[in-house]
């Protein structure tokens, strides 16, 4: 099954969010998961691992999610990044979409939203 | 929420002991009926529809009935009927006290009258407590009169209270607010929301309250040792609450910039200004600080 081969990068400064999302992606969707705890680490991990999908938080120390999104899109125009944030404001949503994010999920996410996000990278 | 406030009053006045209060609150919990259950019982909603609303409530700061109407599962008049049934349950605490033989019916009614009089509670205030109308409860329990950001504080505190109910499974009691002092908290989680109408908020916690928030919010068992994961889980609870607050203000046309949260041991709330709102829950007191 093609889904089993998906490489996903989770970028969030919260250990709780990374842990729960990793368990869900590995156990329910058989993904190969890498983690980053801030935007700067995410850029490095993206270059090294070339994931097919990135779940990116917005509010993070060192380098925030929007800045990291911008830099990742510069490295790879085809990068598929979904923002996952507790601040689902219209302003942030517009900023993220303008910078090339493919979707925006407000925390706390549910399993169906993650499944939909993963299925979106098939098309 | 009426039971928690009235129960706290009975405790403070020495009318009931803590053990007696816990017993009657426990007894009352077993017959506590939520709107979703009432709606299913009345045949207005299916289990799936109720669950869908519960999911929506995790992302939106709205009441069950409000969302059920918005999503077309309930009609306004049906909700009114359900709330009318629910309103009668505030007498259940009194009944439980009488059933246990702690007070006679006359004594409990007298205590109830004194509680209303001592707290200057109007019928509307009592109704707000009965309906768990958090916005109204916050308004009559707290006084931010002298603060320029009073309205922001009222909205914010109400959201925190609703999230304590939703994510920690508690029915909190809001105590009187007071100006910030230079008190040192064993743990202080602080987060800034920048912009016009923005604020800095913090949770002042003990080891016990931090660990319980972390456990309840994450759903993971914690040791008694405060490790990085426990700190992160408690901080994430504040982050989620503040994220929703930013969404609420954004919907009203005010964009706030949420900054990363910070957790410190043995810390004093920065700035020396603002308000402290003690929130009593079953596992201790959470000190909410706003500036």
């Amino acid at each position: 099954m093609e889904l089993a081969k998906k490489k996903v990068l989770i970028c969030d400064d919260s250990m709780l969010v990374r842990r729960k999302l990793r368990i869900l992606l590995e156990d329910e969707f058989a993904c190969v998961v890498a983690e980053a705890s801030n935007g700067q680490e995410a850029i490095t991990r993206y270059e090294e691992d070339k994931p097919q999908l990135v779940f990116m938080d917005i509010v993070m120390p060192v380098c925030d999610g929007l800045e990291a999104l911008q830099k990742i899109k510069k490295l790879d125009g085809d990068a598929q990044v979904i923002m996952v944030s507790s601040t689902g404001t219209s302003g942030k949503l517009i900023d993220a979409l303008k910078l090339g994010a493919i979707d925006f999920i407000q925390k706390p996410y549910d399993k169906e939203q993650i499944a939909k996000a993963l299925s979106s990278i098939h098309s | 929420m009426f039971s928690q406030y009235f129960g706290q009053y009975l405790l403070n006045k020495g009318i009931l002991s803590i053990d007696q209060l816990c017993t009657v609150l426990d007894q009352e919990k077993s017959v506590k009926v939520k709107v979703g259950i009432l709606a299913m019982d009345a045949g207005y909603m299916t289990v799936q529809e109720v669950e869908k609303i519960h999911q929506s409530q995790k992302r939106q700061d709205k009441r069950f009935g409000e969302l059920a109407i918005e999503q077309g599962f309930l009609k306004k008049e049906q909700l009114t009927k359900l709330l009318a049934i629910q309103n009668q349950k505030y007498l259940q605490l009194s009944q439980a006290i009488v059933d246990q033989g702690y007070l006679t019916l006359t004594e409990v009614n007298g205590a109830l009258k004194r509680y209303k009089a001592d707290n200057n509670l109007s019928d509307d205030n009592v109704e707000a407590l009965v309906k768990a109308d958090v916005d109204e409860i916050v308004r009559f329990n707290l006084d931010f009169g002298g603060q320029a950001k009073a309205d922001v504080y009222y909205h914010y505190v109400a959201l925190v209270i609703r999230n304590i109910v939703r994510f920690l499974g508690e029915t909190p009691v809001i105590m009187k607010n007071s100006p910030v002092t230079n008190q040192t908290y064993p743990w202080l989680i602080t987060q800034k929301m920048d912009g016009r109408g923005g604020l800095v908020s913090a949770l002042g916690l003990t080891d016990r309250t931090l660990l319980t928030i972390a456990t309840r919010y994450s759903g993971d068992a914690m040791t008694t040792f405060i490790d990085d994961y426990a700190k992160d889980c408690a901080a994430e609870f504040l982050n989620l609450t503040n994220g929703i607050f930013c969404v609420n203000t954004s919907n009203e046309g005010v964009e706030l910039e949420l900054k990363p949260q910070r957790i410190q041991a043995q810390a004093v709330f920065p700035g020396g200004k603002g308000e402290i709102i003690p929130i009593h829950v079953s596992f201790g007191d959470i000190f909410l600080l706003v500036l």
Side-chain angles (χ1 to χ4, degrees):
Chain A
M1 193 180 163
E2 199 189 346
L3 194 62
K5 297 170 191 164
K6 295 288 176 205
K7 281 167 74 176
V8 178
L9 172 63
I10 303 166
C11 178
D12 201 304
D13 59 331
S14 164
M15 292 162 73
L16 170 69
V17 173
R18 294 201 307 273
R19 181 179 170 180
K20 297 287 180 185
L21 191 49
R22 173 189 273 276
I23 290 170
L24 180 66
L25 288 167
E26 288 179 344
D27 293 358
E28 301 278 337
F29 302 103
C31 294
V32 177
V33 178
E35 291 183 20
S37 62
N38 63 58
Q40 191 54 51
E41 266 182 47
I43 297 161
T44 309
R45 292 309 302 259
Y46 189 87
E47 282 186 291
E48 286 171 3
D49 297 341
K50 297 283 184 289
Q52 287 145 293
L53 184 65
V54 181
F55 288 107
M56 178 83 76
D57 185 21
I58 293 183
V59 180
M60 290 182 288
V62 186
C63 167
D64 73 27
L66 291 177
E67 192 183 338
L69 165 67
Q70 199 168 17
K71 288 182 177 168
I72 287 172
K73 290 299 278 186
K74 264 189 191 168
L75 288 170
D76 176 5
D78 295 328
Q80 305 223 44
V81 181
I82 292 179
M83 311 310 287
V84 183
S85 176
S86 60
T87 49
T89 65
S90 53
K92 292 289 178 202
L93 174 65
I94 292 166
D95 289 348
L97 295 177
K98 273 186 186 166
L99 290 170
I102 57 169
D103 206 349
F104 193 113
I105 297 173
Q106 193 189 330
K107 292 177 191 170
Y109 58 82
D110 57 41
K111 196 173 138 184
E112 286 68 33
Q113 288 175 299
I114 300 301
K116 190 177 158 223
L118 287 169
S119 67
S120 74
I121 57 172
H122 286 290
S123 54
Chain B
M1 278 193 175
F2 181 86
S3 301
Q4 275 68 27
Y5 282 85
F6 181 41
Q8 187 76 37
Y9 173 82
L10 296 173
L11 188 65
N12 293 345
K13 293 284 176 188
I15 299 170
L16 285 188
S17 70
I18 186 71
D19 287 345
Q20 288 174 327
L21 180 61
C22 289
T23 303
V24 288
L25 285 175
D26 267 358
Q27 202 174 57
E28 198 218 26
K29 259 184 198 169
S30 64
V31 290
K32 191 173 182 182
V33 189
K34 292 186 174 171
V35 176
I37 302 286
L38 290 171
M40 284 193 294
D41 189 51
Y44 296 155
M45 290 175 74
T46 64
V47 179
Q48 288 76 17
E49 288 167 347
V50 170
E51 280 174 354
K52 199 171 173 195
I53 300 297
H54 287 157
Q55 278 301 327
S56 300
Q57 277 191 299
K58 289 181 181 172
R59 287 185 295 275
Q60 293 182 69
D61 178 33
K62 290 185 177 176
R63 293 192 189 96
F64 183 95
E66 199 179 350
L67 283 168
I69 289 173
E70 270 182 20
Q71 295 184 25
F73 298 140
L74 268 187
K75 290 178 185 157
K76 239 180 182 175
E77 55 273 27
Q78 290 175 326
L79 178 64
T80 308
K81 275 186 193 172
L82 297 178
L83 292 176
I85 299 166
Q86 199 183 36
N87 285 354
Q88 295 163 5
K89 76 181 176 64
Y90 85 97
L91 293 172
Q92 286 172 348
L93 183 76
S94 301
Q95 187 63 57
I97 293 168
V98 174
D99 288 350
Q100 287 293 322
Y102 298 148
L103 297 176
T104 64
L105 195 57
T106 312
E107 285 168 337
V108 85
N109 280 341
L112 192 58
K113 278 183 187 166
R114 283 197 302 280
Y115 167 63
K116 289 179 187 175
D118 289 356
N119 290 281
N120 293 319
L121 293 179
S122 66
D123 287 347
D124 284 349
N125 294 156
V126 173
E127 203 181 329
L129 280 170
V130 170
K131 284 186 182 170
D133 184 339
V134 175
D135 290 296
E136 194 57 35
I137 293 168
V138 165
R139 291 257 170 195
F140 71 73
N141 268 287
L142 302 177
D143 182 6
F144 297 132
Q147 296 279 357
K149 289 185 188 172
D151 273 342
V152 178
Y153 291 172
Y154 287 124
H155 281 122
Y156 181 74
V157 176
L159 172 66
V160 173
I161 297 296
R162 283 192 288 271
N163 277 356
I164 288 173
V165 177
R166 284 173 191 157
F167 293 101
L168 307 182
E170 283 288 315
T171 307
V173 176
I174 310 162
M175 315 301 266
K176 295 287 173 200
N177 58 301
S178 58
V180 160
T181 59
N182 55 3
Q183 184 186 336
T184 300
Y185 294 93
W187 296 100
L188 191 73
I189 306 169
T190 315
Q191 191 166 35
K192 197 172 181 186
M193 289 159 271
D194 263 349
R196 206 167 57 84
L199 71 156
V200 180
S201 77
L203 296 178
L205 304 170
T206 60
D207 284 10
R208 184 177 181 217
T209 52
L210 186 147
L211 277 170
T212 312
I213 291 172
T215 305
R216 300 255 185 107
Y217 183 65
S218 67
D220 293 334
M222 304 272 165
T223 61
T224 50
F225 174 69
I226 308 269
D227 59 11
D228 287 345
Y229 188 62
K231 285 189 265 182
D232 181 82
C233 292
E236 194 56 23
F237 169 70
L238 181 67
N239 183 48
L240 182 97
T241 301
N242 290 345
I244 295 173
F245 182 72
C246 292
V247 173
N248 286 351
T249 63
S250 173
N251 290 341
E252 289 164 10
V254 178
E255 293 290 328
L256 297 177
E257 185 75 28
L258 188 63
K259 299 291 183 187
Q261 65 274 41
R262 199 158 64 124
I263 183 155
Q264 300 160 282
Q266 298 299 326
V268 175
F269 187 61
K273 288 186 286 182
E275 294 285 326
I276 310 171
I277 302 105
I279 300 167
H280 182 74
V281 287
S282 68
F283 51 88
D285 286 337
I286 297 170
F287 293 92
L288 175 65
L289 300 104
V290 289
L291 171 60

